[in-house]
Amino acid sequence: MKALILVGGYGTRLRPLTLSVPKPLVEFCNKPILLHQVEALVKAGVDHVVLAVSYMSELLEREMRVQEQRLGIRISLSHEKEPLGTAGPLALARDLLNDDSEPFFVLNSDVICDFPFKDLLQFHRNHGKEGTIVDPTAQIGENCTIGPNVTIGAGVVVEDGVRIKRCTVLKGSRVRSHSWLESCIVGWSSSVGQWVRMENVTVLGEDVIVNDELYLNGANVLPHKSINESVPEPRIIM
C-alpha cells in the first residue's frame, strides 16, 4: 500500500528555521515532523511512500534514504518544478500511485495527530472505496453507507442506516436515521430528519432544520430556516 505526502512548501511561517531545513525535517518532540507520519503509515501497512518535493528536496532525499533503509520500505520522490497546489502533485505522481488498484493515503507533511490510519482504511473499504474524508470526532452509526466522494466534518453525527454519496456535511451537523443524501452540502450545525431524501445539489445554509420524511430536490435553503414540507422542484428558500 502507498501514501503520498505533500512536502513541497516553503515553510514561511517557521522561518528562520526553514531557511536551514525544509519544514518536514523540523523536529517535533525530537523527531522530524515527517518521520512521525512515515512511521505511523508503516504501522498501518504502507510499504511505499511517495514524497511530492520541491523546496530543499536534496535534504529531504538524503534523510529519507536513511529512513528507507531503517524502516525497510520504498520511498520515492516526485519533483515539482513549480508550486502545484494540492491536486497538482497527485497528477504529477499518478504513475507511481496507479500501478495497482490498492487505495492510497494522501496527507500534508505538517500534520501531527494520533494518525488513525488503520481506522480510516477500514472505513474507506467499507464505504464505497473512493475519496472519503471523515473527521476523527465524527460519529457514524451502524449500517451506514458513506461514499463515494464524501467529506464528514468535525463533530458530525450520522445516525444508523444513512446513505450519503457525493456530499459534504459540515461541522456540527446531524443526519438522522435512514436518510438518503446525494450531491448535497449540509451547512454548519444543521439537522436532517429521519427518512429524508435530499439530492440534485441541495444546499443547506448554517443552522437549518429539515424535518422528518421530506424530499428536497435542488433546494437552496438560507441560514436558520426550518423546512416543514417537501421541495419537489429546485428553488431558493429564504
Side-chain angles (χ1 to χ4, degrees), residues 60-133:
L60 279 164
E61 182 171 13
R62 187 185 311 156
E63 175 64 24
M64 287 301 103
R65 291 297 169 234
V66 173
Q67 301 305 328
E68 184 178 45
Q69 295 296 318
R70 182 179 72 87
L71 296 170
I73 62 172
R74 178 185 174 193
I75 298 178
S76 302
L77 275 64
S78 175
H79 290 266
E80 300 177 34
K81 295 182 179 179
E82 58 185 29
L84 297 175
T86 300
L90 272 169
L92 189 65
R94 59 183 175 269
D95 290 340
L96 291 169
L97 297 170
N98 289 336
D99 60 359
D100 58 41
S101 59
E102 280 289 297
F104 56 86
F105 294 101
V106 180
L107 55 156
N108 287 313
S109 63
D110 55 357
V111 176
I112 291 291
C113 65
D114 290 334
F115 302 120
F117 291 129
K118 288 184 179 179
D119 292 339
L120 286 170
L121 180 62
Q122 187 62 43
F123 184 90
H124 175 75
R125 284 176 166 160
N126 291 340
H127 295 84
K129 296 185 179 179
E130 294 193 29
T132 306
I133 303 174

Side-chain angles (χ1 to χ4, degrees), residues 131-236:
T132 306
I133 303 174
V134 180
D135 188 274
T137 63
Q139 301 177 43
I140 309 296
E142 296 182 356
N143 300 315
C144 293
T145 303
I146 311 294
N149 304 325
V150 169
T151 301
I152 304 290
V156 167
V157 176
V158 178
E159 296 183 0
D160 296 346
V162 168
R163 174 70 169 102
I164 304 177
K165 57 181 178 178
R166 291 189 287 276
C167 291
T168 295
V169 183
L170 296 174
K171 180 180 178 180
S173 294
R174 178 181 288 266
V175 182
R176 299 191 182 275
S177 58
H178 305 294
S179 287
W180 192 96
L181 281 63
E182 181 175 2
S183 301
C184 300
I185 300 174
V186 177
W188 305 275
S189 303
S190 290
S191 176
V192 177
Q194 300 180 66
W195 297 100
V196 167
R197 182 179 179 117
M198 293 174 20
E199 61 185 353
N200 192 24
V201 198
T202 288
V203 180
L204 307 183
E206 181 182 9
D207 186 34
V208 167
I209 298 172
V210 179
N211 286 293
D212 296 345
E213 300 180 11
L214 298 180
Y215 172 56
L216 275 63
N217 174 27
N220 282 264
V221 185
L222 273 61
H224 314 298
K225 298 294 180 183
S226 180
I227 307 301
N228 301 307
E229 60 183 13
S230 293
V231 183
E233 299 295 334
R235 65 185 177 97
I236 297 173

